[in-house]
Amino acid sequence: MQKNDLYGIEGWGEGYFSINSEGHVVVKPNRQGRGGDLFELMHTLVQQGIDAPILVRFNGIVRDRVDMLNAAFQAAIHEYKYRNTYQMVFPIKVNPQRHVVAAVLQAGSKHRIGLEVGSKPELIAALPLESTAEAFLLCNGYKDAEYISLALMSTKLGRRTLIIIEQAYELNLVLEAAEKFGIEAQIGFRMKLSSTGSGRWKSSGGAHSKFGLLSHEIISCIEILKAKNKAHWVKLLHFHIGSQITTIESIKKALKEASRMYTELAAIVPSLCFFDVGGGLAVDYDGSKSISDSSMNYTVEEYARDVVSAIGDACLEAGIQDPLIITESGRAMVSHHSVLLMEVIDVTSSTPVKHAEQLSGEHKIIENIRDLDANLSIQNCREVFHDIMDIKEQILEEFIHGKLTIRERAYAEKMSQSLFVKIRSFYQQLPTIPNEISALDKIVLETYFCNFSVFQSVPDSWAVDQLFPIMPIQKLNEESSHRAVLADLTCDSDGVIDAFIGKQGPDSFIHLHEYTGEPYYVGIFLVGAYQEILGGLHNLFGDTNVVHAELGTNDKWELSHLVEGDTVEEVLHYAQYNKEQMMSQLQELIEQALKNKRISLTESSQVKKIFKQSLENYTYLVV
């Protein structure tokens, strides 16, 4: 039986993912029961003609995450006798896909969940969506007159809209639009904290952060409002110290500053009644429960208690009413619910090879490698490693100077690789493993080529070295003895994943099973936040196929939505290629080829047929 901790699934899985007796990954959307078999789901999808790569969304996980977050705050409110309540909003930027936003709203309807938008297009997307009357629509980001006008008019449609002032110029736009339409606005201020967060995005906070108002700017805005008898518009104070905050200490420090700011402003503008702590609630991608960039050293429950106690204590001391607490924890809501499933299509192997019979006149370098291989032992393995590293240099030099043929070079390199693998097995048996093991690990790594694009499906892996949980979804009751990195389909050296969850921190390889040519699937987990919308079209690989899976009776999967991935034609259209024009230009090429007798009529028909079919097909390989 494969140990679950080989891939850290018991840490980052958070109860949603486990391994069953058949060696398959199991998904438990509500962390209860036996769950559904992910490999069986993949097999069913392939049988239905849904090709890999496939992004699977589990709406049940969204429901559980939303319920868990709400329960954590309700428990904290009860524990600290907090004198108000809590509501969450989902920032659309985290995953603006319509089916995802709809799933979040449905999951949180009983909790009065709202939406946060950070741009005019996001506002336009959010405005028509069904929501409860008490749900907030928070308007952040840079704003022009059109954005503000639409936000104000949304209140006429029954939306509970608050415009959050992030730049001082926005206030005048709000005042002008409100007067034009005869609407009483509700606004908030985003304060620029002196405190900074922790982790990869800590620059989102601090005095030099991109968004927010300094204290003197907030006071100036309030004075303008008072002069126009509009100070009662001010309802909310907002702050944000960054995404994926890894340490609770950073959150506590920010809360102290923000709570103090709230009580001071509430004394000036008594209409203030909402305290928006923004996002930043982290996800434990690597399962280490640490302060690494891909983890967090606190729980959701601890986070909720610290938020509630900080603002509650500050208001009690100041003698003012506790505000309604708002969070924007989008990453924590949706990260877990999406898994990218991809198929291995090829492997570059470093498996030891059986050497050919020795030939007369064999090059001295090959003879030396044979001798080293024949005499290798645990006693001399380190010395042999040093010798074979020198021989690697000799192989290149001899080839460059014409003293080694290409066949001899190829065979010598193959023998060397085989010897490296054997040396590593001896290294593992030494009482003290030599330092060269890290270099040796890189030499013997295999590359498993997978049918996907790093740039499209997990751009944060490439752009910011985000660590995602990755593991095979089958054969987990068998030994996975191959150390590998994952390569995608793009013609780019960066199209590789070479950092994986390890027991003592990130590893440079993942354990995989021997590739036999049979369907072998690898999953990239926790990709529900940011990855889809940040994905790029490098090499014109488009969006993958997407399915929404619900766990039905008898732990069997039911598909609620299928969103087909981009076709070649659709992706080319993004790059301003027109199908009719391309077909016309192709016909001109065919006519010229026919005229010059380079192609037959039958062949010309085949070219047009394949070209047209390819335009209509998936951008990824059909395995």
PDB file of all heavy atoms in Angstrom, residues 29 41 158 244 246 349 360 504 576-577 620:
ATOM      1  N   PRO A  29     -16.566  15.884  -1.001  1.00  0.00           N
ATOM      2  CA  PRO A  29     -16.945  17.301  -1.056  1.00  0.00           C
ATOM      3  C   PRO A  29     -17.326  17.924   0.275  1.00  0.00           C
ATOM      4  O   PRO A  29     -17.101  19.116   0.484  1.00  0.00           O
ATOM      5  CB  PRO A  29     -18.131  17.295  -2.040  1.00  0.00           C
ATOM      6  CG  PRO A  29     -17.883  16.108  -2.902  1.00  0.00           C
ATOM      7  CD  PRO A  29     -17.301  15.077  -1.985  1.00  0.00           C
ATOM      8  N   LEU A  41     -14.078   8.784 -12.183  1.00  0.00           N
ATOM      9  CA  LEU A  41     -14.655   9.959 -12.828  1.00  0.00           C
ATOM     10  C   LEU A  41     -13.915  10.273 -14.123  1.00  0.00           C
ATOM     11  O   LEU A  41     -14.529  10.521 -15.164  1.00  0.00           O
ATOM     12  CB  LEU A  41     -14.619  11.153 -11.886  1.00  0.00           C
ATOM     13  CG  LEU A  41     -15.034  12.512 -12.485  1.00  0.00           C
ATOM     14  CD1 LEU A  41     -16.467  12.467 -13.001  1.00  0.00           C
ATOM     15  CD2 LEU A  41     -14.868  13.634 -11.457  1.00  0.00           C
ATOM     16  N   GLY A 158     -32.197  47.543  -6.404  1.00  0.00           N
ATOM     17  CA  GLY A 158     -32.309  46.759  -5.178  1.00  0.00           C
ATOM     18  C   GLY A 158     -30.998  46.212  -4.658  1.00  0.00           C
ATOM     19  O   GLY A 158     -31.003  45.400  -3.721  1.00  0.00           O
ATOM     20  N   GLN A 244      -2.892  35.583   0.511  1.00  0.00           N
ATOM     21  CA  GLN A 244      -2.110  34.458   1.049  1.00  0.00           C
ATOM     22  C   GLN A 244      -1.179  34.914   2.172  1.00  0.00           C
ATOM     23  O   GLN A 244       0.047  34.774   2.115  1.00  0.00           O
ATOM     24  CB  GLN A 244      -1.310  33.775  -0.078  1.00  0.00           C
ATOM     25  CG  GLN A 244      -0.523  32.520   0.296  1.00  0.00           C
ATOM     26  CD  GLN A 244      -1.379  31.328   0.701  1.00  0.00           C
ATOM     27  OE1 GLN A 244      -2.558  31.311   0.433  1.00  0.00           O
ATOM     28  NE2 GLN A 244      -0.780  30.345   1.339  1.00  0.00           N
ATOM     29  N   THR A 246       0.688  34.439   5.306  1.00  0.00           N
ATOM     30  CA  THR A 246       1.171  33.172   5.862  1.00  0.00           C
ATOM     31  C   THR A 246       1.234  33.151   7.384  1.00  0.00           C
ATOM     32  O   THR A 246       1.193  32.077   7.987  1.00  0.00           O
ATOM     33  CB  THR A 246       2.561  32.855   5.295  1.00  0.00           C
ATOM     34  OG1 THR A 246       3.468  33.913   5.640  1.00  0.00           O
ATOM     35  CG2 THR A 246       2.512  32.724   3.783  1.00  0.00           C
ATOM     36  N   SER A 349      13.441   8.524 -20.178  1.00  0.00           N
ATOM     37  CA  SER A 349      13.760   7.606 -19.094  1.00  0.00           C
ATOM     38  C   SER A 349      15.239   7.595 -18.773  1.00  0.00           C
ATOM     39  O   SER A 349      16.092   7.779 -19.636  1.00  0.00           O
ATOM     40  CB  SER A 349      13.311   6.187 -19.461  1.00  0.00           C
ATOM     41  OG  SER A 349      13.646   5.282 -18.447  1.00  0.00           O
ATOM     42  N   SER A 360      35.221  -5.014 -31.035  1.00  0.00           N
ATOM     43  CA  SER A 360      36.660  -4.788 -31.249  1.00  0.00           C
ATOM     44  C   SER A 360      36.876  -3.345 -31.672  1.00  0.00           C
ATOM     45  O   SER A 360      36.079  -2.783 -32.428  1.00  0.00           O
ATOM     46  CB  SER A 360      37.183  -5.743 -32.332  1.00  0.00           C
ATOM     47  OG  SER A 360      36.506  -5.519 -33.561  1.00  0.00           O
ATOM     48  N   GLN A 504      10.275  17.640   3.990  1.00  0.00           N
ATOM     49  CA  GLN A 504      11.086  18.648   4.678  1.00  0.00           C
ATOM     50  C   GLN A 504      11.140  19.949   3.895  1.00  0.00           C
ATOM     51  O   GLN A 504      12.103  20.688   3.981  1.00  0.00           O
ATOM     52  CB  GLN A 504      12.511  18.112   4.888  1.00  0.00           C
ATOM     53  CG  GLN A 504      12.591  16.786   5.616  1.00  0.00           C
ATOM     54  CD  GLN A 504      12.024  16.862   7.021  1.00  0.00           C
ATOM     55  OE1 GLN A 504      12.138  17.897   7.691  1.00  0.00           O
ATOM     56  NE2 GLN A 504      11.399  15.772   7.476  1.00  0.00           N
ATOM     57  N   GLN A 576      -6.587  37.528 -33.729  1.00  0.00           N
ATOM     58  CA  GLN A 576      -7.028  38.242 -34.932  1.00  0.00           C
ATOM     59  C   GLN A 576      -6.839  37.459 -36.232  1.00  0.00           C
ATOM     60  O   GLN A 576      -6.602  38.023 -37.309  1.00  0.00           O
ATOM     61  CB  GLN A 576      -6.319  39.605 -35.072  1.00  0.00           C
ATOM     62  CG  GLN A 576      -6.779  40.657 -34.069  1.00  0.00           C
ATOM     63  CD  GLN A 576      -6.122  40.476 -32.716  1.00  0.00           C
ATOM     64  OE1 GLN A 576      -4.907  40.421 -32.630  1.00  0.00           O
ATOM     65  NE2 GLN A 576      -6.914  40.413 -31.663  1.00  0.00           N
ATOM     66  N   TYR A 577      -6.940  36.138 -36.161  1.00  0.00           N
ATOM     67  CA  TYR A 577      -6.951  35.330 -37.376  1.00  0.00           C
ATOM     68  C   TYR A 577      -8.406  35.018 -37.726  1.00  0.00           C
ATOM     69  O   TYR A 577      -9.179  34.593 -36.870  1.00  0.00           O
ATOM     70  CB  TYR A 577      -6.179  34.022 -37.181  1.00  0.00           C
ATOM     71  CG  TYR A 577      -4.689  34.203 -37.061  1.00  0.00           C
ATOM     72  CD1 TYR A 577      -4.098  34.398 -35.814  1.00  0.00           C
ATOM     73  CD2 TYR A 577      -3.870  34.184 -38.179  1.00  0.00           C
ATOM     74  CE1 TYR A 577      -2.722  34.569 -35.685  1.00  0.00           C
ATOM     75  CE2 TYR A 577      -2.498  34.347 -38.072  1.00  0.00           C
ATOM     76  CZ  TYR A 577      -1.930  34.542 -36.819  1.00  0.00           C
ATOM     77  OH  TYR A 577      -0.576  34.705 -36.707  1.00  0.00           O
ATOM     78  N   TYR A 620      -5.468  21.013 -27.483  1.00  0.00           N
ATOM     79  CA  TYR A 620      -4.526  20.069 -26.882  1.00  0.00           C
ATOM     80  C   TYR A 620      -4.471  18.779 -27.698  1.00  0.00           C
ATOM     81  O   TYR A 620      -5.289  18.549 -28.600  1.00  0.00           O
ATOM     82  CB  TYR A 620      -4.915  19.784 -25.427  1.00  0.00           C
ATOM     83  CG  TYR A 620      -4.795  21.023 -24.567  1.00  0.00           C
ATOM     84  CD1 TYR A 620      -5.886  21.882 -24.402  1.00  0.00           C
ATOM     85  CD2 TYR A 620      -3.596  21.366 -23.962  1.00  0.00           C
ATOM     86  CE1 TYR A 620      -5.778  23.042 -23.646  1.00  0.00           C
ATOM     87  CE2 TYR A 620      -3.479  22.520 -23.197  1.00  0.00           C
ATOM     88  CZ  TYR A 620      -4.566  23.356 -23.051  1.00  0.00           C
ATOM     89  OH  TYR A 620      -4.453  24.506 -22.307  1.00  0.00           O
TER      90      TYR A 620
END
